[in-house]
Amino acid sequence: MIRVIVISARLAALVTTGWALISRADCVFATQTCRATNLLSYFTIQSNIAFALLTTLLIIRAILRVRERAWLTTLRVIITSYLIISGVTFAILMETAGLSDLPFLVPLSSRILHFVVPVYAIIDFLFLPGRLRLPLRVSLWTLVYPFAYAILTVVRGQALNWYPYVFFDPEWVGSYAGVVAYAALLAGALVAVAGVLTLASRLPVFVRS
């Protein structure tokens, strides 16, 4: 019974995330107001795609009754950390732009990707069965992909004069030193979030499969 509930919850999360991603892409296919390559360059979009793939894998393994391994729990920590940082960063950018009191201006799909999916990912990690105890050093693995992402984003931004986030634009932050400072701040926050999730992996699992 518990296995059916877990599979159903993850399937609902997968469908919701998939709908939000497709809806968010309407600027490419429907209104044609953005480029597909630009849309895919957003860390939030990439993180949610990764979450959808991870959730698909978890569902398949649950159906086949395959027990979770340490590498899979590590992936859950990494991707959940990415989702949390994406949501917090988006909230800060909304506040900076003066939109925090006008959430209706943000499309539903964007609100789902930035806020609903991260909250679900946290609940899934903390309360659904399967996760294993992880060493704290696992949190450092969260930096590998963002490091490559930051470099490619800056290089691509120079070539196209377009950046998915203003803090990657050296003109907006004042210099490349400013870009590095913002990147370091985000890296520190990312490791901190991953560290908390890694420590949480050692807590008792409240729902047994």
Side-chain angles (χ1 to χ4, degrees), residues 55-118:
T55 303
T56 300
L57 179 60
L58 289 170
I59 292 172
I60 293 173
R61 292 175 71 91
I63 292 174
L64 298 178
R65 299 178 184 272
V66 179
R67 299 184 70 86
E68 188 164 322
R69 303 294 183 183
W71 64 265
L72 187 52
T73 303
T74 299
L75 274 181
R76 292 175 68 188
V77 167
I78 291 173
I79 293 173
T80 300
S81 299
Y82 293 168
L83 291 170
I84 293 172
I85 291 299
S86 295
V88 171
T89 301
F90 183 72
I92 292 174
L93 291 175
M94 283 184 63
E95 180 70 28
T96 302
L99 298 177
S100 58
D101 296 328
L102 302 170
F104 58 87
L105 293 179
V106 180
L108 176 61
S109 58
S110 187
R111 279 178 276 167
I112 289 174
L113 296 176
H114 285 102
F115 304 127
V116 176
V117 175

Side-chain angles (χ1 to χ4, degrees), residues 187-205:
L190 186 57
V191 171
V193 170
V196 171
L197 289 174
T198 302
L199 292 174
S201 73
R202 305 175 187 183
L203 295 173
V205 177

